[in-house]
Amino acid sequence: MLRWSRLHMRLVLALLLLCATASAESGPLTQVDEMLASLSKITGWKVKHRVPSEILPRTKFAKMVQEGVAAAERDKETRAAELTLKMFGLVPWDYKLAQESADLIEEQAAAFYDTRKKKLFVLDNIPDGQEQRLALAHELAHALADQQYGIERYLENAKDDDASTARESVIEGQASWLSWAYMAQQAGGRPEVPRQLLDELADVGVGGEDHPVIERTPLYIRESLTFPYIEGMKFQDAVYRKWGTAAFDQVFRDPPLSTQEILHPEAYADALRPSHPTLPEPSNLRLLAQGDVGEFDYSAILRQRSEEHTSELQSHSFISYAVFCLKKK
């Protein structure tokens, strides 16, 4: 499931993928049912119905994504998000959020599960092998979770931006963990992620010669993309080791409320709740955008500033409320 976090970037993806529902002429992938059954055994979740799957030509996918750029660029919230990022100095002033997001999707996508059509799409240029199996297992983990709890409803019920990122981290982190647990099981091991492998996966960087788009992406955007997968997987591993298979249901029935809980699973276990200070209403100003700034945001923003100014900065672990305004004309 393709997702983006922070400052309405989720909306950008939704708009870009709005048209990504056309059929490709291909029969169901033969691995799907077996994978879904294996994931069912690992999680204890019942497969309620089969997940239809199709091969989608990469050229067709790229065309659909590009067709969504125009709609995203017309969206007021997308423009406000882009301006906010620029005002904070997190992206250059010539940065085009919708187009850059589209380029990232085209570069990074291997497969996606459509939560509206309840259907799995796999791009046709992904070769057979571990990469394809990991992509399939990841997306089928989404499909299985969707059958149990409804992913769209789960994400929509987040009360603020930081809580939304935390829930995205549950979704993507759990699917990432399950895909590697599935691979470990297929190799004859226990259906879990060995600690050494988890550490290695967390240390794997993004970018490089094969991924030039994400390589040039500003740090804050890049880390917003990877946080739900990397930190979410570490969070899932921590709760699994504490509660076992019950953890798969626990994180849906009692979702984390902040990225602090994702970064510090012990805070989630202790039911630590973030505070939300009340700010005075701005006067003679027009509201542009607003949202919660959590530990992940502070950490990423400070690292970007540190990278830009070549100075050592410390991350702070607290929640505040950010309001971005412009003077009324």
Side-chain angles (χ1 to χ4, degrees):
M1 183 175 56
L2 297 171
R3 296 205 168 274
W4 200 271
S5 60
R6 316 308 297 142
L7 295 172
H8 303 295
M9 284 186 273
R10 185 185 316 103
L11 177 61
V12 176
L13 277 188
L15 289 168
L16 290 174
L17 293 176
L18 188 61
C19 299
T21 57
S23 299
E25 295 182 1
S26 176
L29 298 172
T30 58
Q31 305 173 78
V32 168
D33 290 342
E34 174 270 319
M35 281 187 175
L36 202 59
S38 295
L39 292 169
S40 175
K41 291 180 180 178
I42 295 173
T43 59
W45 287 342
K46 181 180 178 180
V47 178
K48 298 182 178 180
H49 53 78
R50 293 188 64 195
V51 177
S53 58
E54 292 186 357
I55 300 295
L56 187 65
R58 169 70 71 168
T59 53
K60 189 172 186 178
F61 176 72
K63 181 180 179 181
M64 290 188 293
V65 170
Q66 289 301 324
E67 287 174 351
V69 172
E73 289 177 339
R74 291 193 300 270
D75 180 74
K76 293 181 179 180
E77 291 189 52
T78 301
R79 295 202 303 271
E82 180 179 302
L83 180 56
T84 301
L85 290 167
K86 292 175 178 178
M87 290 172 66
F88 269 78
L90 298 174
V91 299
W93 279 100
D94 60 352
Y95 191 82
K96 303 297 184 184
L97 181 59
Q99 184 59 60
E100 292 291 338
S101 298
D103 292 343
L104 279 168
I105 292 171
E106 288 186 49
E107 179 181 86
Q108 298 292 316
F112 65 95
Y113 170 70
D114 189 322
T115 56
R116 291 173 296 130
K117 285 202 165 186
K118 313 299 182 186
K119 193 171 191 176
L120 170 68
F121 291 89
V122 181
L123 301 191
D124 66 350
N125 66 332
I126 304 301
D128 293 338
Q130 177 171 287
E131 182 180 355
Q132 185 190 71
R133 291 179 69 80
L134 279 169
L136 286 174
H138 184 103
E139 300 308 320
L140 287 172
H142 286 320
L144 189 57
D146 194 35
Q147 290 184 12
Q148 314 306 310
Y149 291 100
I151 288 176
E152 290 297 329
R153 182 172 65 254
Y154 179 76
L155 292 171
E156 289 170 358
N157 287 338
K159 294 182 178 180
D160 55 59
D161 289 336
D162 199 52
S164 179
T165 301
R167 291 192 184 212
E168 288 174 5
S169 300
V170 166
I171 297 293
E172 299 299 350
Q174 188 177 93
S176 298
W177 190 94
L178 282 170
S179 63
W180 284 103
Y182 167 80
M183 297 296 287
Q185 183 184 56
Q186 294 299 301
R190 293 174 56 84
E192 60 185 42
V193 184
R195 289 186 184 274
Q196 182 178 353
L197 177 59
L198 185 71
D199 293 338
E200 291 174 359
L201 292 171
D203 289 337
V204 172
V206 295
E209 294 181 359
D210 295 334
H211 301 90
V213 178
I214 199 167
E215 180 73 13
R216 71 169 187 259
T217 300
L219 184 145
Y220 180 78
I221 302 293
R222 186 167 65 246
E223 295 206 358
S224 294
L225 171 65
T226 60
F227 179 88
Y229 296 86
I230 296 175
E231 297 301 331
M233 182 168 58
K234 291 161 65 177
F235 171 79
Q236 175 62 52
D237 187 72
V239 295
Y240 175 80
R241 294 185 184 281
K242 182 176 180 62
W243 290 303
T245 55
F248 297 117
D249 291 296
Q250 171 71 17
V251 292
F252 280 96
R253 292 174 178 170
D254 184 21
L257 300 179
S258 69
T259 54
Q260 183 181 46
E261 293 174 87
I262 298 298
L263 290 164
H264 308 283
E266 66 278 6
Y268 172 73
D270 293 339
L272 181 66
R273 296 294 183 254
S275 60
H276 296 269
T278 301
L279 296 181
E281 290 292 329
S283 59
N284 195 33
L285 295 172
R286 176 170 57 89
L287 184 66
L288 172 63
Q290 64 181 3
D292 289 77
V293 179
E295 180 169 352
F296 160 69
D297 291 288
Y298 278 109
S299 176
I301 290 171
L302 289 171
R303 279 196 301 279
Q304 178 157 326
R305 292 304 188 200
S306 176
E307 187 177 87
E308 292 171 353
H309 297 94
T310 64
S311 61
E312 293 295 328
L313 295 175
Q314 293 285 327
S315 172
H316 296 284
S317 302
F318 57 90
I319 305 295
S320 70
Y321 203 69
V323 179
F324 315 117
C325 303
L326 296 175
K327 287 186 176 181
K328 288 182 179 179
K329 292 184 179 180

